[in-house]
Amino acid sequence: MPQPLTRILYVEDEPDIRTVAQMALEAVGGFTVIACASGREALAAASVADIDLLLLDVMMPGMDGPSTLQALRNLPATAQTPVIFMTAKVQAAEIAQYLALGALDVIHKPFDPMTLSEQITRIWAQQGA
């Protein structure tokens, strides 16, 4: 059984989506969310925050989600941190690629803010099952 999920590092370049997801995760799920607008911002935040889960948008300018994950894996604080990707690109081959990078799962966008926390909690509970 994994440790309790409390702190999420969420990376999303679209301000409206980032705000909605952060509010949903905090208000509905009771999580502490460190929201970042870019991969570079996530790298800075990850080194000082005690994170349980990485929640990464796939398509972002500059560093995309997979590139951000690769950079986060080079930091001791996030080298082993579980990751979930979020994307509107939900072709089977793309999902397989994200899972091959070590993702626990892929959440499809657009997501339902009212069920996002439940979805993440369910994915979290399944790791190591």
Side-chain angles (χ1 to χ4, degrees):
M1 176 106 181
Q3 70 183 31
L5 174 58
T6 58
R7 295 177 60 83
I8 299 172
L9 178 65
Y10 174 48
V11 187
E12 166 64 60
D13 64 303
E14 177 57 48
D16 292 343
I17 296 172
R18 187 172 58 249
T19 299
V20 168
Q22 182 174 6
M23 287 175 25
L25 292 169
E26 291 175 344
V28 178
F31 300 115
T32 300
V33 178
I34 297 89
C36 300
S38 69
R40 298 210 186 290
E41 199 176 302
L43 291 174
S47 60
V48 295
D50 183 24
I51 303 300
D52 299 319
L53 177 70
L54 304 169
L55 183 59
L56 305 177
D57 181 27
V58 170
M59 296 187 311
M60 298 184 288
M63 293 176 68
D64 65 4
S67 298
T68 299
L69 177 61
Q70 184 176 13
L72 288 167
R73 290 292 183 235
N74 291 325
L75 298 176
T78 51
Q80 300 296 319
T81 305
V83 62
I84 297 172
F85 282 112
M86 295 180 80
T87 185
K89 297 185 114 191
V90 292
Q91 299 297 325
E94 291 162 332
I95 292 173
Q97 175 189 356
Y98 307 138
L99 296 175
L101 292 173
L104 296 177
D105 208 339
V106 178
I107 294 175
H108 303 178
K109 288 165 125 182
F111 57 86
D112 178 350
M114 297 310 295
T115 61
L116 181 61
S117 293
E118 177 186 319
Q119 192 174 7
I120 289 173
T121 299
R122 186 173 59 251
I123 293 167
W124 180 261
Q126 291 173 350
Q127 64 173 320

